[in-house]
Amino acid sequence: MDRYVITLGRFIIESEREHPGATGALSNILYDLTLAAKMIHREVSKAGLVDILGMAGKENVHGEEVRKLDEYAHDVVFNAMDHNGQLCVMASEEEEGLIQIPGQFPTGDYVLLFDPLDGSSNIDANISIGTIFSIHRRISEGRDGTLEDCLQAGFKQVAAGYVMYGSSTVLVYSTGQGVAGFTLDPSIGEFLLSHRDIKLPQPGKKIYSCNEGNYARWSQGQKDLVGYFRGDDGNGGGFSHRYVGSLVADFHRTLLYGGMFMYPADSKSPKGKLRLLYEAAPLAMLCEQAGGRATDGVRDISSIEPEELHERTPLYMGNREWVDLAGEYLAGEEASVAG
Ligand code: P6P
């Protein structure tokens, strides 16, 4: 056993000590998110048994209703966070509108935006999926938070992170002082520090990650960019193509190995597919904190002022040199979609 085992709880406390003005509120939020992550891990790790124990939406052999995992994950996060008195409002990929704090609980100064279980359609194939979260400080007054509190640009995030439920369950987060990763030891129910200060490798592996099945719907610039990675015209080339189709898994690989993940706009989805507030913006914060860059092809994700709760955005993130190259290929393309 490593004598220097550091639990996530210990790391949060030590990080808080480095900020004399810290009230412990953010630490409290992170700690409760950890509890939710452990509970979701427990259900996700059993998901493979659903076919044996009963299909989602039906009763299992114990006569219990088997929930859709993403709905279950949403409820777990809500129930872990609604009573800690630190939040004034939440928003989730699973709920159309704002999620207010129940009247019997106090509210606080922070806002939680989350995707409770992104990529959950992959669970049947045992592919890694994830929870993504973004935390802002409120800007409104009064008990309940407002839409204005949620629609804040990514550079204002006070914390962001994700939990990836894969061959092991890892929690990666940042409060603006770098990126740390923790691996769950299910035998003791603790997230243990496994990646103290994650930085994108420079240079990173030459990996490009996108769904080439959308190629026909891409803009010419996007097609040419991928052509460079493939070496279609004799320039560039030498890249590997990797695509899991689960955002947290594709991002986690990019964070550790380098390269670039892309989900471009296309003629069917002119704003792309991924959500700005609780997918692109939190991952962009982590990517920037790890020394990389994240854009919508032109603008830094962290600079985009959101207009709607569930708005989508094209997304390019990874090593700065490849994200910058994407910008060069896409420059001047208004809708950045196939003509
Ligand atoms: P496509 C999963 O459904 C998801 O929301 C993200 O996790 C992932 O990056 C993306 O969609 C994959 O989309 O169109 O390639 O299947």
Side-chain angles (χ1 to χ4, degrees):
M1 164 78 80
D2 180 339
R3 287 185 303 126
Y4 296 105
V5 167
I6 296 178
T7 65
L8 175 54
R10 164 62 52 201
F11 188 88
I12 291 172
I13 290 167
E14 289 174 359
S15 302
E16 183 186 313
R17 284 199 194 120
E18 291 165 16
H19 297 81
T23 63
L26 186 54
S27 299
N28 188 329
I29 293 169
L30 292 169
Y31 205 82
D32 288 342
L33 277 171
T34 303
L35 173 64
K38 292 175 186 175
M39 294 174 69
I40 296 169
H41 157 83
R42 182 189 59 197
E43 291 308 305
V44 167
S45 56
K46 285 188 305 191
L49 298 173
V50 162
D51 286 345
I52 301 166
L53 301 178
M55 290 299 292
K58 296 187 176 69
E59 287 195 350
N60 65 21
V61 293
H62 308 295
E64 300 149 351
E65 183 206 359
V66 180
R67 308 285 309 284
K68 275 171 57 67
L69 276 173
D70 44 10
E71 292 170 6
Y72 169 79
H74 167 86
D75 291 348
V76 163
V77 174
F78 174 76
N79 291 322
M81 305 307 295
D82 68 343
H83 57 281
N84 63 19
Q86 307 302 341
L87 302 176
C88 63
V89 69
M90 292 185 258
S92 164
E93 196 267 349
E94 290 288 320
E95 289 263 352
E96 185 56 36
L98 296 181
I99 303 169
Q100 294 300 349
I101 302 302
Q104 68 268 35
F105 300 131
T107 60
D109 296 329
Y110 292 89
V111 178
L112 175 66
L113 311 169
F114 64 102
D115 186 349
L117 204 57
D118 180 80
S120 55
S121 57
N122 292 296
I123 191 71
D124 293 345
N126 213 14
I127 290 169
S128 300
I129 57 180
T131 301
I132 309 170
F133 61 89
S134 168
I135 301 170
H136 283 278
R137 197 181 303 282
R138 75 177 303 174
I139 51 181
S140 70
E141 301 295 327
R143 181 189 180 276
D144 292 337
T146 65
L147 184 60
E148 178 195 27
D149 292 312
C150 298
L151 299 184
Q152 298 187 59
F155 74 89
K156 294 181 181 173
Q157 290 175 103
V158 294
Y162 61 86
V163 184
M164 185 176 75
Y165 313 97
S167 49
S168 59
T169 291
V170 295
L171 186 148
V172 175
Y173 85 99
S174 174
T175 57
Q177 277 74 42
V179 181
F182 302 80
T183 301
L184 181 64
D185 179 342
S187 68
I188 57 173
E190 287 284 3
F191 278 101
L192 305 180
L193 184 64
S194 50
H195 305 76
R196 177 175 285 276
D197 183 18
I198 300 176
K199 293 294 182 201
L200 275 152
Q202 299 286 359
K205 288 184 186 287
K206 294 175 78 172
I207 297 173
Y208 74 98
S209 180
C210 57
N211 181 347
E212 293 208 16
N214 298 332
Y215 186 89
R217 302 199 299 262
W218 286 344
S219 70
Q220 191 54 51
Q222 179 62 38
K223 290 177 181 176
D224 294 343
L225 172 67
V226 169
Y228 172 81
F229 292 137
R230 292 189 316 205
D232 287 356
D233 56 3
N235 297 319
F239 284 72
S240 298
H241 179 235
R242 295 286 184 273
Y243 191 69
V244 179
S246 184
L247 177 59
V248 171
D250 280 315
F251 179 70
H252 191 68
R253 181 204 58 247
T254 303
L255 200 60
L256 296 186
Y257 293 174
M260 177 167 63
F261 170 86
M262 300 174 267
Y263 206 104
D266 64 41
S267 53
K268 187 179 80 170
S269 313
K271 290 279 280 180
K273 174 178 184 181
L274 302 177
R275 308 288 185 171
L276 173 60
L277 278 178
Y278 42 77
E279 291 175 348
L283 298 186
M285 176 176 180
L286 297 174
C287 190
E288 290 173 355
Q289 283 289 317
R293 190 181 181 204
T295 70
D296 65 356
V298 179
R299 300 172 297 171
D300 285 308
I301 292 291
S302 54
S303 69
I304 299 175
E305 293 291 346
E307 294 170 2
E308 295 170 10
L309 208 50
H310 301 286
E311 76 179 66
R312 302 174 190 270
T313 177
L315 183 56
Y316 297 76
M317 51 186 178
N319 284 116
R320 176 173 290 276
E321 65 185 301
W322 306 127
V323 178
D324 290 348
L325 183 67
E328 292 172 25
Y329 274 87
L330 299 173
E333 290 195 345
E334 283 310 307
S336 73
V337 296

